[in-house]
Amino acid sequence: GKWQGVVVDLFIIFGATGDLARNKLLPAILAYTRSCKGYIPLTVLGVGRRDLGDNGFRDFLTRHFRERGLLNNICRRFLREFVYYVGLGSGGPNDYRGLSKRVMEIEQGLGLSGNRVIYLALPPKTIPDVVEELVAAGVSRGSGWTRIVLEKPFGYDLSSSETLDALLHNYFKEDQIYRIDHYLGKETVQNLLFFRFSNVVFESLWNRDWIDNIQITVSEEIGVGSRAAYYDEIGALRDMVQNHLIQILTLVAMEMPTTFDAPSVRYEKVKVLRSIQPILPEDVVFGQYRGYTDEPGIPKDSKCETYSALKLEISNLRWQGVPFFLRTGKRLKRRVTRVDVVFRCTPRALFKPFDACSLRSNLLTITLQPDEGFDLFFDVKMPGQPIRLETQRLSFRYEEAFGELPDPYGTLIGDILAGDQTLFVSADEVRDSWRLFTPILEARPKVFPYEPGSNGPIEADELLSRFGRSWAGS
Ligand code: BG6
């Protein structure tokens, strides 16, 4: 029929009714298939503990997509023709054998390619058992290629991530393992490299001679929401800093790769990670928003951090002596992800006191979301007398230039199917990132309270004052 000769791969999603699958992954698959203009290159098999049949799962997704305003004709057709479900019950070997059988039936029945993506949208602690079981039952041995996708955090700390890695490498080669950090799927995050390495004007200033400090902020308005069970064991350092913020940092700080491909890009990122000096516990601030312990499912005595700020240094020729300040938190004043590159003051203040080096000028703010764009702040003379300087800006906004940006998960799904690992995290990156953060987790920094809707705990401001700096834009 219509699909003959077309390569359709099977996308097996573990945790198919969970938060991540429902809210991010499945909508992205839907958007991705839509962007393929009617040609749908994948069939979804949801796997979960709930006892739903194919139709039960389709109804579940129909309700969810309707609530989100995504339910159009393409979506209905997608759900009807390309979505299946297997309930895993208690998850014993028999259940997994049943799954394996179903996978083969679907592949044969629909004439699929035999290529399988196994996407584990699961809490980190459940992953080792699931991997063992699915491998034992043969789910990972199709007639085509198999790729396995893991969500961050990869492990829980250095030793658990090494154990997980060893387990995966028992059964999969590194080029089959896709560690997702959805920040790398964001156009604006990828653009950090393109912007740096295709414009000499900024790259020539991109070092310790001209940059005073760099700040990376990922602030969220949302709280823990319905994710208590996941979040309270994880906290902000594992949920955001160890992966998303560190990925942004490596792209901001890395050297130009020899070529633009996965091995070269990952190699340069690892070099940055290995050049970061051990982070001192006193340079880390943890916070928890007031009311967190009243959220549904959160223990009353939880010490989980919902905010984290820290200072680190990269010891190499380019960055020696330049502090990097990172911060992220939930229930803050507004949702914004940005990189502030704070340039040095002029060596001599000719127009004193008018050009008292302020934080507002000599600043490049790269906004990764929302309102994606660049703002370069600089001082100009106001017309007339007496002499006065005023900060002005040059601005660029993605939306004005390009309209809506593609969904990061959609981009990454396309890369998984195409076998391109450039935007995925390597085993080395994961290990070196945990090597940095595990001592902090073990030191258990004090957790300071902060008001919901604020900029986080005051102690994070004091952290910067200690280094004679302050947060840009505050
Ligand atoms: C996820 C974290 O990886 O990223 C969430 O687990 C967080 O806690 C989310 O809310 C933020 O992603 P985005 O794309 O909304 O910035």
Side-chain angles (χ1 to χ4, degrees):
K2 196 174 163 204
W3 300 101
Q4 235 155 28
V6 157
V7 178
V8 181
D9 304 328
L10 186 62
F11 215 91
I12 309 171
I13 304 175
F14 285 77
T17 58
D19 214 81
L20 177 79
R22 212 168 18 148
N23 290 320
K24 301 247 177 170
L25 196 51
L26 284 156
I29 290 177
L30 185 64
Y32 176 76
T33 56
R34 199 177 302 154
S35 72
C36 298
K37 307 215 168 37
Y39 156 55
I40 298 191
L42 54 84
T43 289
V44 171
L45 175 62
V47 181
R49 254 183 295 176
R50 292 194 210 186
D51 181 22
L52 304 171
D54 294 337
N55 283 332
F57 186 51
R58 288 171 188 153
D59 290 346
F60 170 84
L61 289 181
T62 303
R63 278 195 304 277
H64 180 66
F65 284 161
R66 183 180 292 126
E67 272 165 33
R68 295 194 41 177
L70 293 172
L71 196 66
N72 55 18
N73 284 339
I74 300 181
C75 180
R76 282 200 185 89
R77 168 159 168 242
F78 174 72
L79 290 175
R80 209 168 46 231
E81 293 177 35
F82 297 94
V83 173
Y84 298 85
Y85 183 86
V86 172
L88 259 189
S90 59
N94 267 334
D95 300 310
Y96 277 87
R97 273 194 291 275
L99 167 64
S100 189
K101 201 165 145 250
R102 185 81 204 281
V103 167
M104 276 181 311
E105 281 164 13
I106 292 175
E107 284 180 341
Q108 279 158 17
L110 300 177
L112 304 190
S113 62
N115 298 332
R116 298 176 184 175
V117 175
I118 300 174
Y119 198 116
L120 305 182
L122 297 169
K125 285 198 167 151
T126 63
I127 286 184
D129 286 347
V130 173
V131 170
E132 294 283 10
E133 293 290 354
L134 71 85
V135 169
V139 179
S140 58
R141 283 191 306 276
S143 58
W145 49 250
T146 297
R147 299 184 180 136
I148 185 159
V149 188
L150 291 104
E151 278 284 339
K152 44 110 290 208
F154 315 105
Y156 197 71
D157 54 17
L158 181 59
S159 74
S160 64
S161 81
E162 282 176 336
T163 309
L164 174 62
D165 209 51
L167 170 73
L168 289 170
H169 282 113
N170 280 341
Y171 307 120
F172 302 95
K173 296 213 224 41
E174 178 66 15
D175 68 7
Q176 294 179 279
I177 305 172
Y178 287 71
R179 299 176 194 82
I180 279 223
D181 184 311
H182 79 282
Y183 267 58
L184 292 176
K186 293 182 193 274
E187 286 289 332
T188 51
V189 174
Q190 291 167 42
N191 185 54
L192 289 169
L193 287 190
F194 293 84
F195 164 75
R196 283 188 54 203
F197 296 131
S198 55
N199 296 293
V200 74
V201 62
F202 293 105
E203 190 52 25
S204 58
L205 302 177
W206 214 256
N207 57 53
R208 64 192 304 274
D209 295 336
W210 301 109
I211 292 179
D212 178 83
N213 72 86
I214 293 186
Q215 307 176 4
I216 300 174
T217 300
V218 182
S219 103
E220 297 189 279
E221 276 173 47
I222 53 168
V224 59
S226 59
R227 299 165 77 218
Y230 159 82
Y231 193 83
D232 196 61
E233 291 196 347
I234 297 287
L237 197 79
R238 289 186 177 96
D239 186 48
M240 301 291 289
V241 182
Q242 189 268 345
N243 31 74
H244 301 328
L245 277 83
I246 275 294
Q247 285 299 327
I248 297 172
L249 173 90
T250 56
L251 297 180
V252 167
M254 70 186 250
E255 298 302 316
M256 182 188 262
T258 48
T259 37
F260 189 61
D261 58 18
S264 314
V265 170
R266 289 163 152 203
Y267 174 75
E268 291 302 338
K269 285 161 73 186
V270 167
K271 274 170 58 193
V272 173
L273 292 172
R274 293 197 180 152
S275 305
I276 299 177
Q277 292 301 294
I279 301 166
L280 304 176
E282 61 264 34
D283 294 346
V284 180
V285 173
F286 274 7
Q288 186 186 82
Y289 62 82
R290 283 190 202 283
Y292 173 74
T293 52
D294 301 329
E295 300 268 22
I298 303 292
K300 290 282 165 252
D301 59 351
S302 170
K303 294 277 178 299
C304 174
E305 86 281 5
T306 61
Y307 178 98
S308 173
L310 59 90
K311 176 232 166 203
L312 59 80
E313 292 213 15
I314 303 173
S315 259
N316 62 19
L317 212 50
R318 189 188 282 266
W319 296 118
Q320 184 71 42
V322 178
F324 285 76
F325 299 105
L326 278 51
R327 62 175 165 170
T328 185
K330 296 213 181 281
R331 293 285 263 132
L332 296 173
K333 195 189 235 153
R334 64 194 188 102
R335 171 171 183 255
V336 65
T337 298
R338 62 168 212 263
V339 179
D340 292 295
V341 181
V342 183
F343 291 95
R344 285 181 185 278
C345 303
T346 50
R348 192 187 148 214
L350 179 62
F351 308 110
K352 241 175 166 170
F354 311 107
D355 53 354
C357 184
S358 76
L359 239 190
R360 295 173 45 234
S361 62
N362 270 315
L363 170 70
L364 173 67
T365 297
I366 307 172
T367 305
L368 303 175
Q369 65 184 23
D371 194 23
E372 294 84 357
F374 287 68
D375 296 276
L376 181 65
F377 298 87
F378 48 87
D379 284 342
V380 295
K381 180 185 178 301
M382 284 177 78
Q385 294 297 333
I387 292 176
R388 262 188 303 159
L389 287 175
E390 195 185 80
T391 302
Q392 291 289 335
R393 71 164 90 176
L394 278 172
S395 295
F396 158 75
R397 298 262 86 79
Y398 276 83
E399 200 180 8
E400 286 166 23
F402 304 116
E404 212 189 314
L405 294 174
D407 177 87
Y409 270 96
T411 303
L412 296 175
I413 287 164
D415 284 356
I416 296 166
L417 293 174
D420 183 347
Q421 291 189 307
T422 312
L423 298 179
F424 295 81
V425 184
S426 70
D428 288 345
E429 286 174 74
V430 172
R431 186 175 39 243
D432 286 319
S433 178
W434 280 122
R435 197 168 278 150
L436 278 173
F437 291 111
T438 302
I440 302 298
L441 292 164
E442 284 166 357
R444 308 196 124 273
K446 189 165 172 219
V447 181
F448 297 99
Y450 63 94
E451 293 304 324
S454 72
N455 282 322
I458 189 90
E459 286 78 6
D461 298 340
E462 289 166 7
L463 171 71
L464 268 70
S465 327
R466 256 178 42 221
F467 296 97
R469 313 301 206 292
S470 46
W471 295 108
S474 60

